[in-house]
Each structure stands twice: as structure tokens, then as C-alpha cells.
């Protein structure tokens, strides 16, 4: 009996110790799980903001950018300009071309090529003369030696409903000061001399300018009245 009693007591002690160890292990596991769950939040909450008092950076980690973001980033200013110019020169949708070129101008407002393409679109595919004038003026603000803008703007200024002959003449004179044999400027200048009604034009000056345009372009004289806007695809 004594032996049996000692064995029984030992088994009870070991059982109590085992239960205690099990409970301690379970408690430690739970505490560890809680710490793991709360640690990232605590680190985020205690992180100091960037210098200057700005907001914290919540940029998603690499690999979490959506496909929509990639699609938006793909339409950079050069791609928008290329798309809009293609639609303009191939007779595509004027609405889509204007949308692409307007976005190109917004994305890169210091790019004269984007504003020049938009100006050509407004001049040839819409009836908004005021917007076309504003677009050409923007090009010339960025590049006052842009002969294409000077030449096209001059033509716009003396094409009905506009009769701003003196301003148109100034545009052509600026082109010819940069390029004395510029064919489009000479041809358009000749047209101006033939249509202006303020007494400052005339057939003699008109014919002279047309002949100069033909010589500068090296074309057949029979085609001397067949001129086009600068920047268009023939």
C-alpha cells in the first residue's frame, strides 16, 4: 500500500505539473500572437512624419500598382501628341484628336509642338477661330521663331471671317526675315495681297510673291496657287 500510495502521489504531481506547463505554453502562444498582430499598427502609429510637416507616405509597395495606373501612365505627352497628330493628318475623329492634343498640352504645357498641333486642328477641323488664334499665340510665346505657327497664323488672320490684314502681314514678314525663300509664307503673303481691301494690296505684289513661292518650292508654275498649311501631310 505504501508503495502504491507513493506511486499514486507521484502521478498526481506529474499530472499537475504537466497541466501547469501546458497552460503556461498556451498563454505564451496567445501573448505572442497578440504582439505579432499589434506590432505593425504600433510601428505605424509611432512613426514620425516626414520633415517639413508633410503627410506620411502611403505609397503602396512595389507590385501592388493596378493595371489602370499602368494604362494611365502609358499615355504620356509624347504618345498623346503622336496619337492626336495621326488622327489630325489622316482625317480621323476630330473629337478624339482634340481630346488627345488637349491632354498633351496639359501634360507638357511648355512643348510648342503640342500647342502647334492643337492650333492646326482648331484651324482646320473646327469653327472656333478664337481658340485657334489663342493656340497659335501660345506657340509663339514658347517659340517666337516657329515659322510654321507664324505662317499658319498669318493665313488664319486674313481668312474670313477675320480681316486682320496688318497682323497677317507682320506674321509673313517675320517668317521671311528668318527664311527669305519660305514657299508657304510667300504664297500666303501673295494671297493676302490679292484679298486685302484696304488699298495696300495689289495684283503686282501678289503675282510677284506667287512667282517667288513657285521658285522657292521648285514646283510647276501651273500649281502656284495650290498651297497648304504648314505641318500638314501632303
Amino acid at each position: 500500500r505504501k508503495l502504491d500510495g507513493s506511486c499514486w502521489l507521484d502521478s498526481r504531481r506529474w499530472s499537475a505539473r504537466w497541466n501547469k506547463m501546458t497552460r503556461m505554453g498556451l498563454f505564451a502562444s496567445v501573448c505572442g500572437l497578440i504582439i505579432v498582430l499589434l506590432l505593425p499598427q504600433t510601428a505605424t502609429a509611432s512613426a514620425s512624419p516626414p520633415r517639413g510637416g508633410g503627410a506620411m507616405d502611403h505609397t503602396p509597395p512595389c507590385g501592388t500598382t493596378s493595371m489602370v495606373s499602368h494604362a494611365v501612365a502609358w499615355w504620356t505627352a509624347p504618345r498623346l501628341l503622336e496619337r492626336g497628330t495621326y488622327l489630325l493628318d489622316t482625317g480621323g475623329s476630330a473629337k478624339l484628336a482634340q481630346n488627345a492634343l488637349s491632354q498633351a498640352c496639359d501634360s507638357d504645357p511648355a512643348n510648342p509642338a503640342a500647342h502647334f498641333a492643337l492650333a492646326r486642328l482648331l484651324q482646320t477641323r473646327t469653327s472656333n477661330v478664337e481658340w485657334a488664334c489663342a493656340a497659335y499665340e501660345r506657340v509663339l510665346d514658347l517659340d517666337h521663331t516657329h515659322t510654321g505657327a507664324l505662317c499658319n497664323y498669318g493665313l488664319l488672320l486674313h481668312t474670313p471671317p477675320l480681316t486682320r490684314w496688318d497682323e497677317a502681314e507682320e506674321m509673313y514678314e517675320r517668317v521671311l526675315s528668318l527664311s527669305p525663300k519660305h514657299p508657304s509664307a510667300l504664297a500666303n503673303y501673295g494671297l493676302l495681297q490679292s484679298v486685302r481691301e484696304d488699298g495696300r494690296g495689289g495684283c503686282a505684289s501678289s503675282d510677284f510673291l506667287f512667282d517667288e513661292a513657285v521658285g522657292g518650292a521648285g514646283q510647276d508654275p501651273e500649281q502656284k496657287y495650290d498651297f497648304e498649311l504648314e505641318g500638314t501631310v501632303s
Side-chain angles (χ1 to χ4, degrees), residues 32-223:
L33 180 61
I34 293 174
I35 292 173
V36 170
L37 292 176
L38 294 180
L39 185 59
Q41 298 181 11
T42 304
T44 302
S46 61
S48 58
R51 294 182 179 179
M56 293 182 62
D57 185 9
H58 297 288
T59 304
C62 181
T64 61
T65 305
S66 68
M67 290 304 296
V68 175
S69 300
H70 286 300
V72 171
W74 188 82
W75 283 108
T76 58
R79 291 185 183 275
L80 289 165
L81 175 57
E82 180 182 2
R83 174 64 172 170
T85 303
Y86 173 80
L87 292 170
L88 170 61
D89 292 337
T90 58
S93 169
K95 183 177 181 180
L96 291 178
Q98 183 172 350
N99 183 54
L101 294 174
S102 297
Q103 291 186 53
C105 293
D106 292 339
S107 300
D108 190 4
N111 183 4
H115 294 280
F116 179 60
L118 179 60
R120 288 201 296 120
L121 171 73
L122 294 171
Q123 182 176 7
T124 61
R125 304 289 297 278
T126 74
S127 59
N128 200 322
V129 178
E130 292 78 8
W131 283 13
C133 290
Y136 280 125
E137 289 172 1
R138 177 58 178 161
V139 177
L140 296 175
D141 286 341
L142 296 170
D143 181 6
H144 66 279
T145 63
H146 196 298
T147 56
L150 289 167
C151 192
N152 290 1
Y153 193 19
L155 182 62
L156 178 64
L157 290 171
H158 66 85
T159 299
L162 298 181
T163 56
R164 295 159 59 178
W165 299 310
D166 289 340
E167 294 176 67
E169 182 175 355
E170 179 187 353
M171 296 298 156
Y172 297 139
E173 289 290 348
R174 288 172 63 181
V175 176
L176 296 175
S177 68
L178 297 168
S179 177
K181 295 295 184 180
H182 195 286
S184 296
L186 289 167
N188 291 352
Y189 202 175
L191 177 64
L192 169 63
Q193 296 300 315
S194 67
V195 300
R196 66 187 306 169
E197 302 172 355
D198 58 355
R200 297 181 58 184
C203 293
S205 59
S206 176
D207 288 341
F208 170 77
L209 290 166
F210 279 131
D211 289 338
E212 287 292 309
V214 172
Q219 298 178 355
D220 188 280
E222 296 299 324
Q223 299 179 6

Side-chain angles (χ1 to χ4, degrees), residues 4-53:
D4 292 341
S6 298
C7 292
W8 181 77
L9 289 175
D10 290 340
S11 63
R12 289 292 302 270
R13 293 192 186 99
W14 280 109
S15 178
R17 291 177 181 176
W18 177 258
N19 290 337
K20 184 177 180 181
M21 293 174 62
T22 302
R23 287 194 299 269
M24 292 178 63
L26 180 60
F27 178 75
S29 300
V30 173
C31 290
L33 180 61
I34 293 174
I35 292 173
V36 170
L37 292 176
L38 294 180
L39 185 59
Q41 298 181 11
T42 304
T44 302
S46 61
S48 58
R51 294 182 179 179

